[in-house]
Amino acid sequence: MFIKLVVGGLTLNVISAYAPQAGLDEEVKRCFWEGLDEVVRGIPPTEKLFIGGDFNGHIGASASSYGEVHGGCGFGVRNGGGTSLLDFAKAFELVIANSMFPKREEHLVTFQSTVAKTQIDYLLLRKFDRGLCKDCKVIPSESLATQHRLLVVDVSIPMRRKRRVVRSSPRIRWGALTKEKAQELERGLLAMGA
């Protein structure tokens, strides 16, 4: 799913993604990444980009060789799906928002079942927009489905303020005018013929 919003002169592109599960054919996974690649390439770099979704991969707790896209605050151990996500983020100069903020385990785990706790849902944004992201965490008490947990990002979007146009006559401030200065001003004006 793809949504384009215009907010105060900024264009925001929000993409919702659902990657194929770990056990599926490599051709299906390749088609997913190619499709997402095509959508992202179609968004101009001047527009804001947010990608959120279930990527069915684990980026792991440490950044390792992905320091420019992984903030070092992930969960678990990296797997092939996580490496694909990190490679995608690196190719498009994106950062993974939920790896940028140190959190307790309960605010990192996005999928929890009776047998496993994992982080498979991620939010990505352009590297040069990372300053817009103020926080990203899981809300443990909110469930989207029986096993997925709500992942929330706090974003601060600067609004351009319109300049007020003042259309009045200029004011003269006489507060600091002494008697001597007033007489000097009067002589100068008379000399100019005013």
Side-chain angles (χ1 to χ4, degrees):
M1 181 166 72
F2 176 54
I3 299 172
K4 187 179 282 267
L5 303 167
V6 178
V7 179
L10 289 177
T11 303
L12 310 173
N13 296 278
V14 181
I15 298 172
S16 176
Y18 182 72
Q21 296 171 352
L24 291 178
D25 183 40
E26 290 301 315
E27 179 65 19
V28 174
K29 293 177 186 178
R30 188 184 60 74
C31 286
F32 165 77
W33 288 111
E34 286 177 357
L36 187 57
D37 181 282
E38 186 177 329
V39 171
V40 173
R41 283 186 195 280
I43 299 171
T46 56
E47 297 180 0
K48 306 298 179 199
L49 172 63
F50 299 93
I51 304 172
D54 179 349
F55 286 93
N56 281 310
H58 309 284
I59 63 168
S62 68
S64 301
S65 61
Y66 292 98
E68 66 274 18
V69 297
H70 188 306
C73 300
F75 179 80
V77 178
R78 184 171 303 139
N79 67 3
T83 301
S84 295
L85 176 59
L86 290 164
D87 288 338
F88 176 81
K90 198 176 202 179
F92 285 100
E93 296 183 346
L94 304 172
V95 292
I96 300 173
N98 31 334
S99 71
M100 293 172 26
F101 302 96
K103 301 288 179 192
R104 295 190 312 253
E105 180 180 301
E106 67 188 43
H107 295 287
L108 291 172
V109 172
T110 62
F111 181 87
Q112 185 171 348
S113 67
T114 55
V115 293
K117 288 181 179 181
T118 61
Q119 183 182 43
I120 57 174
D121 302 315
Y122 301 98
L123 288 164
L124 292 82
L125 65 150
R126 289 195 165 123
K127 193 184 298 186
F128 54 82
D129 288 332
R130 104 178 354 164
L132 299 176
C133 185
K134 303 303 177 197
D135 194 15
C136 185
K137 67 179 179 180
V138 170
I139 308 296
S141 60
E142 296 291 328
S143 294
L144 295 175
T146 54
Q147 298 169 327
H148 284 270
R149 299 160 103 191
L150 183 62
L151 180 60
V152 177
V153 64
D154 293 334
V155 178
S156 175
I157 298 175
M159 301 299 288
R160 293 187 191 142
R161 295 185 185 257
K162 292 182 180 177
R163 290 188 166 205
R164 291 185 359 181
V165 177
V166 179
R167 296 181 188 215
S168 63
S169 58
R171 292 178 32 190
I172 299 173
R173 298 184 184 183
W174 300 102
L177 191 63
T178 63
K179 187 174 183 178
E180 293 81 28
K181 291 283 184 184
Q183 289 171 348
E184 186 181 324
L185 177 63
E186 182 182 11
R187 283 191 298 272
L189 290 172
L190 287 172
M192 291 184 339

